[in-house]
Amino acid sequence: QVQLVESGGGLVQAGGSLRLSCAASGIKFSFKDMSWYRQAPGKQRELVATITSGGSTNYADSVKGRFTISRDNAKNTVYLQMNNLKPEDTAVYYCNVKVFRDCWGQGTQVTVSS
């Protein structure tokens, strides 16, 4: 059974930083592409960043240069380092892996005050 557990969210002022973590179990983690999504109130869930099993990364234009996705295969964990946070980054952030279907964690709230 796939399980994804996010942590690291919180309240931060604009310009601040947060580091999100997602611990995965029930999958062959090192073989899987991992992604972070976010969903703001009243908006659709959107892709933020992806890291492939080989370590290649892709980012949404809105976070390029500010967010960094990384992974530690020894810990079955994917991270999202978020710097220079803006109020528009406020959302629930979800970890995602595709195993025949989309699998999601419970999400972690990030709130950026202006």
Side-chain angles (χ1 to χ4, degrees):
Q1 181 177 348
V2 178
Q3 188 170 18
L4 302 173
V5 180
E6 301 99 334
S7 61
L11 173 63
V12 64
Q13 288 189 331
S17 298
L18 284 173
R19 188 195 195 202
L20 306 183
S21 299
C22 170
S25 59
I27 59 173
K28 294 182 179 179
F29 181 81
S30 62
F31 290 90
K32 293 296 185 181
D33 298 349
M34 301 296 297
S35 297
W36 285 97
Y37 285 73
R38 67 186 181 187
Q39 187 166 19
K43 294 188 176 181
Q44 288 190 327
R45 194 170 295 190
E46 63 174 355
L47 178 62
V48 175
T50 297
I51 185 165
T52 68
S53 58
S56 297
T57 58
N58 284 290
Y59 299 92
D61 287 343
S62 58
V63 307
K64 280 180 182 176
R66 300 188 298 122
F67 291 11
T68 302
I69 189 170
S70 61
R71 65 191 298 157
D72 185 337
N73 289 337
K75 295 183 178 179
N76 285 5
T77 300
V78 61
Y79 304 97
L80 187 68
Q81 177 67 44
M82 305 186 295
N83 298 330
N84 190 21
L85 282 160
K86 303 176 180 180
E88 52 264 41
D89 295 318
T90 295
V92 178
Y93 284 71
Y94 297 92
C95 186
N96 170 274
V97 66
K98 292 174 174 51
V99 183
F100 303 112
R101 60 177 178 82
D102 281 316
C103 299
W104 303 94
Q106 83 287 354
T108 186
Q109 176 70 48
V110 172
T111 302
V112 184
S113 63
S114 56

